[in-house]
């Protein structure tokens, strides 16, 4: 429904909607591990994937839509939905526990998740130089007030480890 609203406001200015076409479905990134040499990145992956007992179900709720300007120009603006305060707190505690496990294994954390943007999910991307971003945010938040984004709270999904952002230092 939210994706349809985004597209209906300006179909030509909509670059893509998550979960449509060849796009990955909306997701919440647990953490970002970038700028590690391949050996350290593999160690992080081994720690995260070896014993998945740390991956416990969490009830998460979404709160409000906003946008993120993803580049120096306005031609790539993401519509994102933020987790509510309690859900974000839960996720931050969870990732802090994982970061502590990684550090204990001798791998430094380059940039802690707590120093990055709060947890969110991306709805889609628009060309912000022409798309009416403020109008869309108003309409999204009017149509989907806090607590109404989901029919039921999110539970943890599959544990997937993507290392597409990794590169040797």
């Amino acid at each position: 429904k939210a994706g349809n609203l985004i597209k209906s406001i300006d179909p030509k200015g909509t670059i893509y909607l998550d979960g449509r076409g060849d796009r990955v479905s909306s997701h919440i990134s647990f953490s970002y591990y970038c700028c590690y040499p391949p050996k350290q990145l593999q160690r992080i992956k081994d720690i995260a994937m070896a014993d998945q007992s740390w991956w416990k179900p969490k009830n998460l709720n979404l709160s409000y839509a906003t946008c993120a300007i993803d580049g120096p120009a306005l031609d790539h603006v993401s519509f994102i939905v933020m987790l509510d305060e309690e859900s974000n707190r839960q996720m931050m505690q969870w990732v802090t526990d994982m970061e502590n496990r990684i550090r204990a294994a001798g791998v430094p954390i380059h940039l802690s998740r707590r120093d990055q943007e709060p947890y969110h999910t991306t709805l889609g991307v628009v060309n912000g130089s022409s798309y009416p971003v403020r109008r869309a945010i108003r309409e999204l938040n009017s149509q989907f007030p806090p607590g109404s984004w989901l029919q039921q709270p999110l539970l943890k999904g599959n544990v997937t480890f993507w290392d597409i952002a990794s590169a040797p230092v």
Side-chain angles (χ1 to χ4, degrees):
K1 292 181 182 181
N4 292 339
L5 176 59
I6 291 168
K7 188 153 185 109
S8 74
I9 291 172
D10 182 0
K12 289 183 180 179
T14 303
I15 297 171
Y16 68 79
L17 300 170
D18 276 14
R20 301 197 186 174
D22 63 349
R23 300 298 308 171
V24 172
S25 292
S26 288
H27 62 279
I28 298 171
S29 295
F30 179 68
S31 195
Y32 304 100
Y33 301 108
C34 65
C35 308
Y36 285 94
K39 199 171 188 176
Q40 282 186 330
L41 188 62
Q42 184 59 50
R43 185 71 183 120
I44 292 170
K45 182 177 181 179
D46 291 345
I47 293 164
M49 302 302 281
D51 172 14
Q52 293 183 21
S53 64
W54 64 272
W55 191 254
K56 295 177 176 60
K58 301 283 183 188
N59 287 328
L60 304 174
N61 288 301
L62 301 173
S63 184
Y64 64 93
T66 189
C67 68
I69 300 170
D70 298 321
L74 290 176
D75 61 348
H76 193 272
V77 174
S78 295
F79 282 108
I80 59 177
V81 182
M82 308 304 291
L83 268 65
D84 67 18
E85 192 174 314
E86 175 59 22
S87 297
N88 192 71
R89 188 195 62 70
Q90 284 183 53
M91 291 293 288
M92 287 296 181
Q93 181 58 55
W94 205 10
V95 77
T96 298
D97 293 347
M98 177 54 68
E99 288 175 353
N100 289 338
R101 290 179 67 194
I102 292 167
R103 280 189 199 97
V107 179
I109 298 297
H110 291 168
L111 184 61
S112 176
R113 185 66 168 86
R114 74 176 164 268
D115 297 325
Q116 300 171 40
E117 64 188 339
Y119 282 97
H120 64 277
T121 185
T122 301
L123 295 172
V125 173
V126 299
N127 182 337
S129 61
S130 61
Y131 189 97
V133 173
R134 285 190 176 126
R135 173 184 159 202
I137 290 172
R138 268 194 320 272
E139 289 189 30
L140 284 165
N141 287 317
S142 173
Q143 231 178 53
F144 303 97
S148 70
W149 283 94
L150 304 168
Q151 292 178 355
Q152 59 187 23
L154 289 174
L155 294 176
K156 64 96 173 169
N158 295 329
V159 179
T160 305
F161 193 95
W162 290 302
D163 59 3
I164 56 175
S166 66
V169 179

